[in-house]
Amino acid sequence: MAAKPPLTADDWMALDFEISRLFDGAPVDEEQMFAGRLAEVTKMLRTVMERSRHVVLFGERGVGKTSLSNIFWRRYGKTLQSFIVARVQTGPQDNFTSLWVRALEELKAVGIANGRGSYVPFETDFETITPSQVRRELQKINANALPVIIIDEYDKLADRDTKVLTANLIKELYDFSVSTTVILVGVAENISELIEDHASTDRAVVQVPLSRMSESELREIIAKRISQTPMKFSPDAVLTIVLLSRGLPYFTQVLSKHAALHAIDNRRLNIANQDVEAAMNRFINDTEVSFRDGYRAATRTNQQSNLHQSLLACALARCDDEGFFKATDVVEPFSAIMKSPKRIAHFEKHLRRFSSDEGGNILVRRGGDRQQTFRFADPMMQPYVIIRGIQTNMIDESAKKLLLQKEQGELAI
Ligand SMILES: Nc1ncnc2c1ncn2[C@@H]1O[C@H](COP(=O)(O)OP(=O)(O)OP(=O)(O)O)[C@@H](O)[C@H]1O
Ligand SMILES: [Mg+2]
């Protein structure tokens, strides 16, 4: 049964604001709004409780690293009291001293703000600092505290010496059994992209790779937020949003928001597939500036070719949960789009182009000739390409459902 609509224009306006707040696309910082990721939350909490090892949290851009690091320690309220959690962002200009003095200052400030000033009696006033000095200061923290230092955007760090010194610090904290847990967070495919000489820190570090979200986790994002309003999504609308999101939670939020706002504009509380379609238009308009150039560089050509179609097929190709696909995975979606059976030879040179300067490196390539895999350099480009393909009628309705659903089924395994 349809929910009872609000009566006044002011009510609708209030609902509009509420939707914009709920689906704001910012990193999650309220436990209530955080969906899924149970295994990762547990792994990180366990490491902090163990008090000896440290965490490296890594994954593709936009998969939810900052959100997870914001939330994991708030899961179990009982221990909350003793947590002192400092977060610092890394910048390209940072060196070891600037980064770690900032981390100490932040930890102390948070301790004081939590009314636990006596837990954090260390110094922060250093012109330069070494790993051993950081370790000695952290050793002054009260044994009842659970101190955590989150170093976010660690991949932005440009200075190699700082990476080496930070790795030394982690090793030293481990060797001296210091209770502070360091969590390094960054965009990376594997740990060695983030940590210099990672073999030497191997035992000191717990790896937490973060993959794209499963279909059920994305559904949970929508359910948790919309349940705080009188609005409802139709099952069809949820399905379309989830399928288009390709495991990327930001899209789930943005498409849900635009769809709900479209329903509100039409004075409806039930959000249907037609609202999701309107949301796609809105999404393309909003993101045109950031994605248009990349898309054009990849597909611009003087010759008659099917670059648009093969790029769309790449975006629809079955991929692993880090977004990687093989040329063979492109065959099926490309054939469906072209409405005739195709082979790798029909689009092989397109893949080469997409992963070269000529094609603006819209794809990155990994592995040698036989084992080559590809993925979108910017994961956000993938849903953009799909939505653009749908809008320009490159795939018809039946092919769309088939390809998208099939894909997601594989992803969810
Ligand atoms: N578990 C979650 N539940 C609900 N929404 C989430 C979750 N994880 C991430 N999101 C949403 O996904 C988007 C990206 O999240 P976040 O900023 O945490 O990712 P990130 O990996 O840190 O991104 P970047 O690589 O750009 O730093 C945000 O809109 C956030 O609200
Ligand atoms: Mg982040």
Side-chain angles (χ1 to χ4, degrees):
M1 202 179 71
K4 201 159 167 265
L7 295 175
T8 66
D10 281 357
D11 289 343
W12 286 108
M13 187 60 92
L15 191 55
D16 188 302
F17 291 153
E18 182 64 2
I19 289 290
S20 303
R21 185 187 71 79
L22 285 167
F23 295 93
D24 66 355
V28 183
D29 63 359
E30 278 175 65
E31 221 273 295
Q32 234 185 325
M33 299 285 211
F34 185 77
R37 305 301 201 188
L38 207 60
E40 289 84 358
V41 165
T42 311
K43 197 170 177 184
M44 288 175 69
L45 260 179
R46 203 172 278 153
T47 311
V48 174
M49 298 315 229
E50 265 177 20
R51 291 170 179 247
S52 55
R53 291 196 290 167
H54 304 273
V55 174
V56 178
L57 170 61
F58 61 96
E60 277 182 283
R61 185 158 95 82
V63 287
K65 301 177 295 300
T66 301
S67 302
L68 175 61
S69 68
N70 273 345
I71 294 301
F72 82 93
W73 56 278
R74 300 185 217 192
R75 254 303 148 87
Y76 300 101
K78 285 203 192 97
T79 42
L80 209 65
Q81 292 291 316
S82 25
F83 273 109
I84 303 178
V85 182
R87 155 181 302 284
V88 290
Q89 306 275 113
T90 320
Q93 75 296 341
D94 266 316
N95 59 35
F96 185 80
T97 296
S98 67
L99 184 62
W100 284 97
V101 167
R102 206 155 73 242
L104 289 176
E105 285 170 352
E106 192 63 29
L107 195 63
K108 192 170 176 105
V110 174
I112 293 169
N114 290 356
R116 303 268 171 170
S118 62
Y119 278 21
V120 284
F122 54 80
E123 301 300 318
T124 60
D125 195 12
F126 294 89
E127 292 230 328
T128 62
I129 201 165
T130 64
S132 297
Q133 280 173 308
V134 176
R135 186 257 306 157
R136 277 198 296 275
E137 293 309 316
L138 293 175
Q139 280 177 311
K140 296 177 186 166
I141 296 177
N142 185 302
N144 291 321
L146 281 170
V148 178
I149 297 176
I150 300 168
I151 309 278
D152 203 355
E153 316 239 317
Y154 190 67
D155 55 292
K156 300 261 168 75
L157 194 62
D159 182 34
R160 186 168 175 272
D161 288 349
T162 305
K163 287 190 183 167
V164 173
L165 290 171
T166 300
N168 292 348
L169 169 62
I170 288 180
K171 176 97 187 345
E172 188 162 333
L173 292 175
Y174 176 72
D175 290 342
F176 281 79
S177 296
V178 178
S179 65
T180 301
T181 306
V182 174
I183 301 185
L184 296 183
V185 182
V187 176
E189 257 179 58
N190 53 54
I191 187 163
S192 45
E193 283 180 11
L194 285 183
I195 300 244
E196 283 296 321
D197 185 19
H198 115 255
S200 75
T201 50
D202 208 23
R203 272 175 308 129
V205 160
V206 172
Q207 302 189 28
V208 182
L210 198 61
S211 52
R212 295 188 180 193
M213 293 181 95
S214 68
E215 182 178 332
S216 63
E217 288 176 315
L218 297 178
R219 285 175 183 276
E220 197 184 323
I221 295 183
I222 303 178
K224 279 201 156 159
R225 289 166 199 241
I226 207 67
S227 68
Q228 305 196 14
T229 75
M231 300 191 80
K232 280 202 167 53
F233 277 93
S234 75
D236 235 26
V238 171
L239 184 66
T240 312
I241 291 174
V242 165
L243 295 179
L244 288 173
S245 299
R246 313 306 285 174
L248 298 167
Y250 175 76
F251 279 94
T252 306
Q253 287 198 34
V254 173
L255 290 174
S256 303
K257 175 175 78 182
H258 291 323
L261 293 179
H262 185 261
I264 292 174
D265 285 345
N266 291 283
R267 298 293 185 252
R268 279 183 281 108
L269 287 177
N270 292 308
I271 307 154
N273 232 348
Q274 71 191 82
D275 299 309
V276 181
E277 264 153 40
M280 290 190 221
N281 289 331
R282 179 71 194 273
F283 168 78
I284 292 288
N285 287 337
D286 285 0
T287 51
E288 215 32 22
V289 188
S290 16
F291 294 117
R292 188 187 47 210
D293 293 349
Y295 185 91
R296 280 199 189 145
T299 53
R300 188 171 27 219
T301 174
N302 297 326
Q303 296 144 26
Q304 181 71 5
S305 73
N306 300 309
L307 285 172
H308 293 273
Q309 286 80 354
S310 48
L311 189 61
L312 174 60
C314 291
L316 288 165
R318 189 187 59 195
C319 58
D320 64 18
D321 57 15
E322 290 170 349
F324 280 102
F325 59 88
K326 300 189 289 300
T328 44
D329 300 321
V330 181
V331 172
E332 192 186 348
F334 191 56
S335 305
I337 293 162
M338 301 305 291
K339 298 196 179 73
S340 73
K342 296 287 175 193
R343 283 173 288 115
I344 293 180
H346 289 117
F347 56 79
E348 208 170 17
K349 65 174 190 297
H350 297 172
L351 288 180
R352 269 202 302 277
R353 178 196 162 99
F354 295 150
S355 52
S356 69
D357 289 345
E358 190 198 0
N361 293 302
I362 198 166
L363 299 182
V364 288
R365 188 173 23 181
R366 188 170 77 166
D369 270 355
R370 278 160 183 267
Q371 288 298 323
Q372 267 185 5
T373 55
F374 302 86
R375 80 170 172 193
F376 280 81
D378 179 353
M380 306 289 166
M381 182 61 99
Q382 199 179 342
Y384 173 85
V385 170
I386 296 175
I387 292 174
R388 216 183 136 123
I390 292 172
Q391 287 203 312
T392 50
N393 296 321
M394 258 191 269
I395 33 178
D396 59 28
E397 202 56 33
S398 56
K400 179 171 93 187
K401 281 256 145 60
L402 186 84
L403 287 169
L404 284 167
Q405 269 176 18
K406 193 156 182 187
E407 202 35 45
Q408 197 65 22
E410 301 276 351
L411 253 181
I413 288 169

